[in-house]
Amino acid sequence: MVFLKNTFLFIVLLLPSLCYSNNYVSRVSYYRIPDGMGTPSGACGYGDYGKDVNSGDVCTASKRLYKNGAACGACYQVRCKDKDLCSDEGTKVVVTDNGEGHGTDFILSSRGYGKMAKQPNMAQHLFAKGVVEVEYRRVSCKYGGGNLMVKVQEHSKHPNYLAILVMNQGGATDILSVEVFEEETKEWISMRRAYGAVFDLSNPPSGELKVRFLTSAGAETKWVESDKAVIPAEWKAGITVETDIQLS
C-alpha cells in the first residue's frame, strides 16, 4: 500500500523483531556537548538525524561492533555494573558513529550515559568516574516512529548519481547490502556502501526504483524488498522515503 504525502512515500515492509539475548562485558565512556545529545557529524552519515534520534540517547561503537557501518542504527541496552550507582534497566542507545577509547566498546552521549544511574542525582558520580564497567546486549527498539526510512542524499544528482541514507532499521537488524531493480534487464543492481549507512550508485536505472535490503538479525540473514517502487522516477536530492515496518 503506497501513500504519497509531500516528499514522503510510505510503503509497507516486514522486518524481523528479534531481541538478542546474549550479554557481553565491556567498558563505556561518554562525550559531552552542550545539550548532551548526539553529534551531527557521526560516521554513519546521519547528519542532524544522528543528533536527535532516540531522544539523543546515542553512542559510538568500536571498530569490532561498527562493522564498517552495518551496525549504524543498532540498538544496545547498556547497564553499568556498579549496583550502588546504576539501575537494573540501564540505558538504550543507538549507534550513530564509530569510535572507541580507554578499552571501551562504546562512547555514549552524556544524555545516554547519565541514564544508567539509579537516580538522576547519582549521574554526577558516574560522570566523575569517566569510564565504567558495563554489560551490554543487542536489542530491538523503536525510535523515529519505528519505520525504515530512505533519504536521497543532498549530493545526489539526477539522473547520473544516486546516494541514499538508510535510517530506522529497528535496532536489532543490520543492513548488510542494498540493491535497486532495473526494469529493462530484470536484474538487481548492487549499490556501494559509500560510508556508514550511505549507499550510492553511478548511472542508476531510470524510472521508478524498487529497493531491497539484505538484513541480518541474529542468525537469520534475508532479503527484504518492497512490492512497489520506493524511489520515484523523478527523484531529487533531499526527499525522504518512509517505509512502514511491521515487526513480527
Side-chain angles (χ1 to χ4, degrees), residues 16-196:
S17 177
L18 298 179
C19 179
Y20 294 1
S21 59
N22 292 337
N23 290 313
Y24 302 93
V25 175
S26 185
R27 288 152 51 94
V28 305
S29 184
Y30 70 94
Y31 62 87
R32 188 185 294 276
I33 59 176
D35 60 7
M37 307 282 277
T39 171
S41 58
C44 288
Y46 287 147
D48 287 338
Y49 168 86
K51 178 179 176 64
D52 301 327
V53 67
N54 198 39
S55 300
D57 297 340
V58 299
C59 67
T60 74
S62 63
K63 182 178 180 181
R64 177 177 65 86
L65 296 178
Y66 184 69
K67 295 179 285 189
N68 196 36
C72 287
C75 191
Y76 287 92
Q77 182 185 31
V78 182
R79 301 183 295 184
C80 103
K81 299 179 71 175
D82 187 331
K83 300 303 181 182
D84 293 331
L85 286 179
C86 301
S87 69
D88 292 334
E89 180 64 22
T91 184
K92 289 184 179 180
V93 289
V94 173
V95 174
T96 62
D97 201 355
N98 178 26
E100 56 191 282
H102 305 292
T104 65
D105 273 310
F106 303 101
I107 304 175
L108 278 58
S109 65
S110 56
R111 178 184 174 93
Y113 184 89
K115 286 187 176 180
M116 291 189 297
K118 186 177 293 186
Q119 299 292 337
N121 61 1
M122 293 181 176
Q124 59 182 319
H125 301 295
L126 282 180
F127 287 121
K129 288 178 176 291
V131 179
V132 295
E133 301 287 332
V134 298
E135 62 179 14
Y136 69 90
R137 63 178 183 141
R138 185 78 180 269
V139 295
S140 296
C141 62
K142 292 185 178 181
Y143 53 85
N147 301 323
L148 183 70
M149 298 174 66
V150 174
K151 179 181 180 181
V152 178
Q153 288 291 77
E154 283 76 5
H155 48 280
S156 297
K157 294 182 180 179
H158 188 277
N160 300 316
Y161 175 73
L162 174 64
I164 62 173
L165 172 67
V166 182
M167 303 176 289
N168 285 17
Q169 55 261 40
T173 303
D174 288 345
I175 304 295
L176 303 181
S177 302
V178 178
E179 296 183 347
V180 295
F181 188 71
E182 184 172 36
E183 188 64 37
E184 183 177 348
T185 63
K186 306 297 183 184
E187 294 181 344
W188 289 97
I189 300 174
S190 295
M191 301 188 77
R192 177 183 71 112
R193 186 187 294 274
Y195 57 91

